[in-house]
Amino acid sequence: MRLALPRWTGPLAVKAAVFITVMCCALAALLGVLVHVSVTDQAVGQARDAALSRLGEATKAYEAGDPLRRGAGVDPPGLPRPLRELAVSGLRGTMVAEHDGRPTMWAAGPADGGRALAVQVDHTQGQRTIDGLDGAIVWSSALAIGATLLVGAFAVTRVTRRLHTTARVARRISTGDLDARVGDPRAQDPTRPQDEVASVAAALDSMASSLQGKLLAEQRFTADVAHELRTPLTGLHAAAELLPPGRPTELVRDRVAALRTLTEDLLEISRLDSGRERLETEPEALGDLAARVVRGSGTDTRVDVVRDVRVETDRRRLERVLGNLVANAQRHGRAPVVLTVDGPVITVRDHGDGYPEYLLAHGPQRFRTEGGTKGHGLGLTIALGQAEVLGARLEFTNPPDGGALAILSLPRQP
């Protein structure tokens, strides 16, 4: 089972700071231990040598029957038991222990009668040296860790700031802003060293330029095709009107009308793609406008006005959006189809099989339909594009109790 980490551990800066801190602490601890052990061995060694030297002098005096100097004695009080047992067994040894509240270096050797001859040397100065060194190691390590962490955080923050800029531009591109570019200074200056962030930024800018070029070429192609089709279609429509009445003539006129509608839809999409559409706003009562759209559709769509409101909007574009939503619901859904006005929010609901998964995930896509239904997938694409021009938000969802639901949220001011 994988351990779930807290959300705050996600950013790269936090991970870098934790890594730098851990490595600095480990390095400081290693160096501190090495210095502590070295200095301690040196201080204790000097004290041991002094104690053994005094023990030798005390042994000579004891064997000669001379009085022992101060700090030497046979079985003196405070002599550590392990050291006394070592001396009684006939060996010499040293040991650091607390005596009268001070660190003391003891040295002991055998004496007659199963006793121990011992001397003591004050080890206070040596212990102070070790304690002072330990304190200096701790403070210097903390200072070094803090300085390293600040420098490392500054360096990492510069990198993460560039990464955040690249991610922000990528999100803008994904929402349709193909003019967005990272413009990383390192990527634009070939004389400067190129790091990985600059490579990613340059690749993203190159991808955006290539994608923009391909989409512009596609838009130009769509617009050119639609414009070129208008002239022959006009002639074809006029010729169809001159045919004698009959079933074949009705079929020809129906196909010509469908082709003209497709051409007009393509022209409208090309205008939306160009981004040059301009609003012509005026106050509109949404309830009356919704009723007018349904009457124009010639369908049995029901209109429910929960709360009527007047908004500043482009009447023609809003009628186009609602008309396409109603037509799509009637064509691909099942009755009853209900258009509801609740303030600035207008919904179109049918009770069919619902929107396909690709549409819910990625939005309408031109020339794509599913389930063998007729159409070119342009109606909802145009509705979404016109809603964006209006400054409105158009959402598609499938209610839990079935059917398809389109939600158009209009702004009070465009």
Side-chain angles (χ1 to χ4, degrees):
M1 181 178 178
R2 187 175 179 180
L3 180 63
L5 297 177
R7 184 178 296 273
W8 59 265
T9 60
L12 180 61
V14 174
K15 294 180 179 178
V18 172
F19 176 77
I20 293 173
T21 303
V22 171
M23 293 305 297
C24 287
C25 290
L27 182 60
L30 178 60
L31 293 178
V33 168
L34 292 177
V35 174
H36 173 82
V37 170
S38 177
V39 174
T40 300
D41 288 345
Q42 183 179 1
V44 173
Q46 292 176 353
R48 181 183 295 112
D49 293 340
L52 289 175
S53 177
R54 292 187 60 181
L55 178 62
E57 296 174 356
T59 301
K60 291 179 181 180
Y62 178 75
E63 291 175 350
D66 298 334
L68 300 177
R69 297 175 59 183
R70 184 180 179 182
V74 177
D75 287 339
L79 177 65
R81 178 178 295 181
L83 184 59
R84 184 183 183 283
E85 293 175 354
L86 179 67
V88 170
S89 67
L91 300 176
R92 287 188 174 189
T94 60
M95 184 176 181
V96 178
E98 289 286 333
H99 181 60
D100 294 335
R102 296 181 301 175
T104 303
M105 173 64 74
W106 290 91
D112 56 355
R115 296 179 298 173
L117 176 63
V119 298
Q120 54 180 311
V121 176
D122 187 13
H123 189 53
T124 302
Q125 186 60 39
Q127 190 63 44
R128 286 177 180 174
T129 302
I130 295 174
D131 293 341
L133 178 64
D134 290 343
I137 291 175
V138 171
W139 283 107
S140 60
S141 298
L143 183 61
I145 291 172
T148 305
L149 185 60
L150 288 177
V151 174
F154 174 75
V156 172
T157 301
R158 293 187 62 186
V159 175
T160 55
R161 187 184 302 117
R162 294 165 61 198
L163 288 174
H164 282 306
T165 300
T166 303
R168 186 163 53 250
V169 171
R171 286 191 290 268
R172 288 174 57 190
I173 293 173
S174 67
T175 57
D177 184 6
L178 299 182
D179 293 324
R181 297 292 185 273
V182 179
D184 190 277
R186 288 181 179 268
Q188 294 178 344
D189 187 359
T191 61
R192 299 179 64 182
Q194 301 296 303
D195 58 8
E196 289 77 3
V197 180
S199 300
V200 172
L204 180 63
D205 288 347
S206 176
M207 180 199 70
S209 298
S210 176
L211 180 62
Q212 186 179 38
K214 291 180 179 179
L215 288 178
L216 289 177
E218 178 186 344
Q219 292 170 8
R220 285 194 299 268
F221 175 76
T222 302
D224 292 343
V225 169
H227 279 291
E228 292 298 327
L229 284 176
R230 294 187 76 178
T231 301
L233 277 176
T234 301
L236 187 60
H237 178 73
E241 294 297 327
L242 298 176
L243 293 176
R247 181 60 178 169
T249 299
E250 294 178 1
L251 293 176
V252 170
R253 291 176 178 173
D254 178 70
R255 293 298 88 196
V256 170
L259 192 56
R260 288 190 65 180
T261 301
L262 174 60
T263 303
E264 294 300 327
D265 286 347
L266 290 175
L267 283 173
E268 186 169 359
I269 287 177
S270 67
R271 289 194 298 269
L272 291 172
D273 288 339
S274 67
R276 294 191 295 267
E277 295 287 85
R278 295 293 179 267
L279 291 176
E280 297 178 1
T281 62
E282 58 184 8
E284 290 289 340
L286 294 184
D288 294 341
L289 188 145
R292 191 163 58 247
V293 168
V294 170
R295 285 196 303 271
S297 68
T299 63
D300 58 352
T301 302
R302 189 175 81 241
V303 178
D304 291 342
V305 180
V306 178
R307 180 167 58 94
D308 201 0
V309 68
R310 294 178 68 86
V311 298
E312 285 281 341
T313 188
D314 189 319
R315 178 180 57 81
R316 181 185 66 83
R317 297 182 190 279
L318 182 55
E319 288 180 348
R320 178 68 158 154
V321 173
L322 297 181
N324 283 13
L325 294 178
V326 170
N328 182 82
Q330 290 287 350
R331 182 179 300 114
H332 302 292
R334 287 192 293 270
V337 177
V338 183
L339 190 154
T340 304
V341 177
D342 188 0
V345 178
I346 304 176
T347 61
V348 177
R349 167 91 186 265
D350 66 63
H351 293 77
D353 297 329
Y355 292 115
E357 291 298 328
Y358 82 87
L359 190 147
L360 297 177
H362 307 290
Q365 299 180 23
R366 61 192 70 175
F367 297 108
R368 177 172 181 178
T369 57
E370 291 189 355
T373 57
K374 295 181 179 180
H376 305 283
L378 300 181
L380 294 183
T381 303
I382 293 174
L384 184 61
Q386 293 289 12
E388 292 176 353
V389 175
L390 291 171
R393 185 174 71 253
L394 181 57
E395 301 172 282
F396 302 95
T397 183
N398 291 334
D401 55 346
L405 177 65
I407 305 172
L408 180 67
S409 302
L410 292 168
R412 291 284 183 161
Q413 295 295 329

